[in-house]
Amino acid sequence: MSQSPVRRLAGALLLGVLAVPVSAAEVNVYSYRQPHLIQPILDEFSKETGIEVNVVHAKEGLVERLRHEGRNSPADLMLTVDIGRLVELVEADLVAPVQTPTLTADVPPQYRDPEGKWYGLTTRARVIITSKERVAEGAIQTYEDLADPRWKGKICTRSGKHDYMVGLFASMIAHHGEADARTWLEGVKSNLARRPQGNDRAQARAIKEGACDVAVINTYYIGNMLEDPEQKGWAEAVRVVYPNQADRGAHVNISGMALTKSAPNRDTAIRLMEFLTGDRAQQMYAERNVEYPVKPGVALAPLLASWGELKSDELALTEVARYRSAASKLVDIVGYDD
Ligand code: FE
């Protein structure tokens, strides 16, 4: 029995459609995120779609590289952390807006660019940590409390110029205005136990070692420290305080992605973007680095779930990013790092 012409045509079309992606199905990713965080997820994507994902990973310089390569860049998708880096890509005119029903449904508005020039993939809260031994539970509850003179000589942080601190200070400006944010930052500075130094984990260590009692760090570092035998004790010495739960919620930042303007594999890159905001990838991505999925309803890593529900500041990160340079200047004005 011969096939009907319609079925033959459908078959030919199907072959035609399949023939193209098989030869050209790849997507090139420039990633500031470490391979162990993303590779298993990208492998899943390849397994599901047959699309090959090539990753260039680096700690620095990928934005510069993209800029230098210009229209000839092989990069399709940038993966990075911090709203500062994503805005930097937009300002350098290196990214293309993309909006699909899936992406806009998966990623809440506060965690994506209004035009689709970047999308958050995970969030991390900048939380207060306190010494379990020396600070009573509930003694400090808000970022504003960090400026209270009762904490004189008790607080440590990393450099005020680091992206994570600039993000937090920018959110203070966004909520309180520049004058009040300045007064607050002067208050925090006068409470510092030592000159700002070290990374986030070093602040937990300082609490463990008694150099200070209160610090601010990103949530996932608690998870990271617990997995490291040398650092486990630092994490166990501190209590995590979700800030501002009775009002606007904790300041959060994101890891995210952006489609490049020059993307040679635009369509496959968008498929990958949609995969990354889907349930399975969201859960894997968030769990691997103890971050929060951006997509509502996706299960939390057990450690995060154990801390209870997090109320996050819902102010759009584009709004926060607007005050980044003012925040950075404020750090100089108050001599935060001096
Ligand atoms: Fe980090």
Side-chain angles (χ1 to χ4, degrees), residues 124 164 218 220-221:
R124 56 275 296 284
Y164 300 161
N218 284 353
Y220 55 88
Y221 286 117

Side-chain angles (χ1 to χ4, degrees), residues 323-335:
Y323 298 102
R324 281 180 50 84
S325 66
S328 181
K329 277 190 203 120
L330 216 49
V331 170
D332 292 329
I333 292 169
V334 311

Side-chain angles (χ1 to χ4, degrees), residues 33 81 124 158 162 164 200 218 220-221 224 289:
R33 304 233 72 187
V81 296
R124 56 275 296 284
R158 73 192 309 163
H162 189 274
Y164 300 161
D200 276 9
N218 284 353
Y220 55 88
Y221 286 117
N224 296 167
N289 197 36

